[in-house]
């Protein structure tokens, strides 16, 4: 889920399982107010992405946001 703001977007993320070292990225220029954190089961976390990139105002969905964690790398190793 995300909410547009004048100077960026606010994103809420959550997980049913523990996520180690969550890292967010996007193609837009800007910065996340918090990045590289642990997310516990059932925890909801608001992350602010601050940017003056005018293209960001055109976003209707947050499909351009990439979310990875240490768990992604473990699953890849097991394949």
């Amino acid at each position: 889920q995300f909410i547009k703001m004048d100077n960026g977007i606010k994103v809420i993320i959550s997980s049913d399982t523990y996520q180690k070292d969550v890292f967010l990225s996007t193609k837009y220029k800007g910065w996340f107010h918090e990045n590289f954190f642990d997310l516990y089961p059932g925890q909801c976390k608001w992350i602010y992405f601050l940017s003056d990139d005018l293209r960001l105002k055109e976003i209707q969905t947050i499909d351009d946001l990439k979310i990875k964690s240490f768990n992604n790398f473990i699953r890849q190793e097991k394949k």
Side-chain angles (χ1 to χ4, degrees), residues 17-53:
T17 59
Y18 174 69
Q19 298 295 314
K20 176 78 175 152
D21 299 332
V22 176
F23 178 78
L24 297 96
S25 63
T26 184
K27 68 179 184 178
Y28 299 101
K29 293 182 182 179
W31 61 96
F32 292 95
H33 88 286
E34 187 173 1
N35 213 348
F36 207 69
F37 54 87
D38 293 349
L39 187 65
Y40 294 90
Q43 177 187 15
C44 291
K45 192 165 191 76
W46 282 104
I47 306 297
Y48 296 89
F49 178 70
L50 304 174
S51 174
D52 56 5
D53 190 329

Side-chain angles (χ1 to χ4, degrees), residues 46-63:
W46 282 104
I47 306 297
Y48 296 89
F49 178 70
L50 304 174
S51 174
D52 56 5
D53 190 329
L54 297 177
R55 296 175 300 154
L56 196 61
K57 297 187 185 312
E58 300 169 4
I59 291 180
Q60 298 302 314
T61 66
I62 196 60
D63 292 335

